[in-house]
Amino acid sequence: MNQPRPRVVIVGSGFGGLFAAKALADADVDIVMVAKTTHHLFQPLLYQVATGILSPGEIAPATREILADQKNVRVLMSEVTAVDLPTRKLRAEALGNVTYIKYDYLIVAAGAGQSYFGNDQFAVFAPGMKSIDDALELRARIFGSLEVAELTEDAEERKRLLTYVVVGAGPTGVEMAGQIRELTSKTVAKDYRNIDPREARVLLLDGADRVLPPFGERLSAKAKAQLEKIGVEVKLGGMVTDVDANGLELKYKDGSTERIEAGCKVWAAGVQASPLGRMIADQSEAQVDRAGRLEVEPDCSVPGHPEVFVVGDMMSLDKLPGVAQVAIQSGQYVARKIAGEVSGKPVTTPFKYFDKGSMAVISKFGAVVKMGKLELTGFVAWVAWLVLHLLYIVGFKAQVSTLLHWIIAFLTDSRAERTTTRQQMVGRLAIQQLGDNFKPTITASLDPTQVDQRVGEKNRREVRPQEL
């Protein structure tokens, strides 16, 4: 009688999870990838979806399509809500369906969300930049501010609506601020009659003393100068202490405060690892850091549980940054380790990260690149940024489509993806207001045990958990 092959369960379809699955293509294992979305998200380009350059499909291709030819993978859309280390079992839920999934090996690559440093109420007025939903909501807010400004005759209100504030001067914040400035000063400059979008204010805020701190003083200074050249106001050394519907408040290191009235706020400061990290820590010898990342062994395993691995943004190891390359390399390493153990050729060397450098685009034809001792700025850095990001977009179809959109955006100053809807703007907040009792199902029912609340008992059904 043939023994069943070891089952590797991968939680998350981001860089860590996807590259781990691909690296196990030839291993003698069965893989179950479970993720709360049906797509693999190229998160570094979310700001281009938010500012109308790219469509969601170009940076978020379907995970099933990517892995369609890899026969040892099964893909499930479900959100893991519980982990039971002693029984090696997960609980996952999606649209009213509960599934229990057993594993022999577990790779947790659930990534990280936005952190508001204990002020989660800020999210109501300043969405983050961690998902397609976030990007589409921000697109609706960015263009919506222009539309409402066109309607008002109140000069002060128009000024407020045409003020955009980006909090956080890391790569995401820098790139977002630069694109909003180019959008208002070029793309839509001639599209309105009652307002001049070129008069919009774009501010970039950070509590640090420079933008892009990991890039070093020289590149940070270059990036700041380039931002200011295109019209972005950079305010450093100030912490955001409050955010409301009409603006936000800053407190500087010298104790002074400032109020900024703004119609559109974007939060690009700080990350918080998936709560799965703390669930695992509560059942093991592992600890979590302030950002919720799980402290792992040198081989990315959980202390006391060599069958459980944590990779990417969820792991805390050697002070590695939460960037795509760390997720890719750690996912591939863990896959090699599992494949080696299954084949009887164990991998005994610890995980070692190879830093391929950091990049950030400031504006059209302007970027900064740091690769070891090599530092590039301007057009050469911008081309390097384009090439590298294009290579890491998954799928030839998405690469070609992205390249065409970039040609349109960078050669003509126009943007093909400017469509917004009211649902994009209010959907997240509407779901929050429904409260914890709201459980979406495929029929959109508030009650997941009932197909249609309008019909009656004959359509009431019981949801029975299934086990894989």
Side-chain angles (χ1 to χ4, degrees):
M1 183 175 178
N2 293 330
Q3 291 292 326
R5 299 200 300 182
R7 174 183 283 176
V8 180
V9 175
I10 300 173
V11 181
S13 59
F15 286 108
L18 182 65
F19 278 80
K22 286 187 168 185
L24 287 167
D26 297 324
D28 191 25
V29 297
D30 292 317
I31 304 167
V32 176
M33 174 177 282
V34 52
K36 61 182 179 181
T37 66
T38 60
H39 55 261
H40 162 70
L41 177 60
F42 190 82
Q43 204 172 82
L45 290 178
L46 268 176
Y47 75 94
Q48 293 201 3
V49 174
T51 54
I53 296 175
L54 298 178
S55 71
E58 284 153 351
I59 67 164
T63 312
R64 292 185 183 280
E65 182 178 7
I66 297 169
L67 297 173
D69 294 330
Q70 189 173 327
K71 301 304 180 183
N72 66 341
V73 179
R74 181 181 179 186
V75 177
L76 301 178
M77 185 200 74
S78 281
E79 182 174 5
V80 174
T81 55
V83 180
D84 191 338
L85 297 185
T87 63
R88 299 191 180 187
K89 187 183 293 185
L90 307 178
R91 181 186 187 277
E93 186 173 349
L95 299 176
N97 293 276
V98 176
T99 306
Y100 290 95
I101 307 169
K102 294 180 178 179
Y103 65 85
D104 297 298
Y105 296 96
L106 176 63
I107 302 175
V108 185
Q114 203 71 60
S115 172
Y116 290 84
F117 307 108
N119 297 290
D120 291 348
Q121 70 275 12
F122 291 178
V124 173
F125 310 108
M129 277 288 291
K130 292 296 179 183
S131 69
I132 290 294
D133 284 337
D134 291 339
L136 292 177
E137 179 179 349
L138 281 169
R139 183 194 289 181
R141 291 191 181 210
I142 290 168
F143 286 98
S145 289
L146 291 164
E147 296 301 329
V148 179
E150 174 77 0
L151 294 172
T152 184
E153 297 298 331
D154 185 319
E156 285 301 311
E157 177 65 2
R158 187 186 304 125
K159 181 180 178 181
R160 185 187 72 83
L161 289 166
L162 292 178
T163 299
Y164 296 85
V165 176
V166 180
V167 181
T172 299
V174 166
E175 291 171 338
M176 174 62 91
Q179 283 304 316
I180 294 176
R181 178 70 274 173
E182 291 201 334
L183 171 70
T184 55
S185 63
K186 296 178 181 178
T187 304
V188 300
K190 299 179 181 179
D191 293 359
Y192 295 85
R193 300 295 176 262
N194 196 40
I195 62 171
D196 183 353
R198 290 170 293 191
E199 295 178 355
R201 290 181 71 198
V202 181
L203 296 94
L204 178 64
L205 315 179
D206 202 289
D209 58 0
R210 64 176 187 254
V211 304
L212 302 174
F215 284 66
E217 289 188 19
R218 177 179 170 272
L219 289 183
S220 293
K222 289 274 190 180
K224 181 174 181 290
Q226 180 64 28
L227 285 165
E228 291 174 336
K229 183 179 179 181
I230 64 174
V232 176
E233 300 177 39
V234 181
K235 290 180 176 287
L236 302 173
M239 300 294 293
V240 175
T241 58
D242 193 23
V243 183
D244 57 40
N246 296 318
L248 46 77
E249 294 182 7
L250 288 171
K251 184 175 183 179
Y252 293 96
K253 294 178 180 179
D254 62 3
S256 62
T257 61
E258 181 182 6
R259 168 78 183 180
I260 300 174
E261 300 292 328
C264 182
K265 286 81 68 179
V266 182
W267 194 272
V271 295
Q272 184 72 27
S274 164
L276 291 179
R278 190 166 294 280
M279 289 184 196
I280 293 172
D282 289 343
Q283 302 175 57
S284 68
E285 303 168 13
Q287 302 293 319
V288 292
D289 64 14
R290 293 178 61 184
R293 296 176 299 184
L294 199 86
E295 296 179 1
V296 297
E297 301 286 7
D299 65 351
C300 301
S301 66
V302 173
H305 289 272
E307 78 284 357
V308 180
F309 300 90
V310 177
V311 301
D313 291 351
M314 284 192 63
M315 75 171 184
S316 176
L317 178 65
D318 298 333
K319 298 182 179 179
L320 293 174
V323 296
Q325 274 299 320
V326 171
I328 291 170
Q329 293 180 34
S330 58
Q332 291 173 329
Y333 166 83
V334 165
R336 290 195 301 270
K337 190 168 179 63
I338 292 173
E341 189 169 321
V342 169
S343 65
K345 300 176 182 178
V347 174
T348 57
T349 56
F351 171 62
K352 187 175 182 180
Y353 172 59
F354 174 65
D355 188 356
K356 295 185 178 181
S358 302
M359 299 179 170
V361 66
I362 311 299
S363 60
K364 183 169 67 172
F365 308 139
V368 291
V369 173
K370 183 176 178 63
M371 302 176 66
K373 294 183 178 180
L374 178 64
E375 296 183 350
L376 302 174
T377 61
F379 182 75
V380 174
W382 182 77
V383 171
W385 180 92
L386 284 181
V387 171
L388 185 66
H389 281 69
L390 193 63
L391 289 175
Y392 275 104
I393 291 175
V394 176
F396 178 74
K397 179 174 60 179
Q399 289 175 330
V400 172
S401 181
T402 299
L403 182 59
L404 290 174
H405 275 90
W406 280 351
I407 290 172
I408 293 171
F410 297 138
L411 294 185
T412 68
D413 290 326
S414 63
R415 303 181 184 216
E417 302 295 332
R418 289 169 53 176
T419 302
T420 66
T421 70
R422 192 171 299 178
Q423 286 188 15
Q424 291 171 355
M425 188 180 298
V426 303
R428 175 180 62 94
L429 299 177
I431 290 174
Q432 287 180 358
Q433 289 172 4
L434 286 170
D436 294 336
N437 291 330
F438 174 69
K439 295 183 181 295
T441 71
I442 198 64
T443 56
S445 172
L446 291 175
D447 182 354
T449 65
Q450 190 172 344
V451 175
D452 191 332
Q453 293 181 332
R454 298 168 300 175
V455 184
E457 292 298 324
K458 68 177 182 179
N459 279 322
R460 186 176 294 277
R461 65 183 178 87
E462 180 182 357
V463 178
R464 292 187 175 89
Q466 61 176 324
E467 188 165 296
L468 297 179

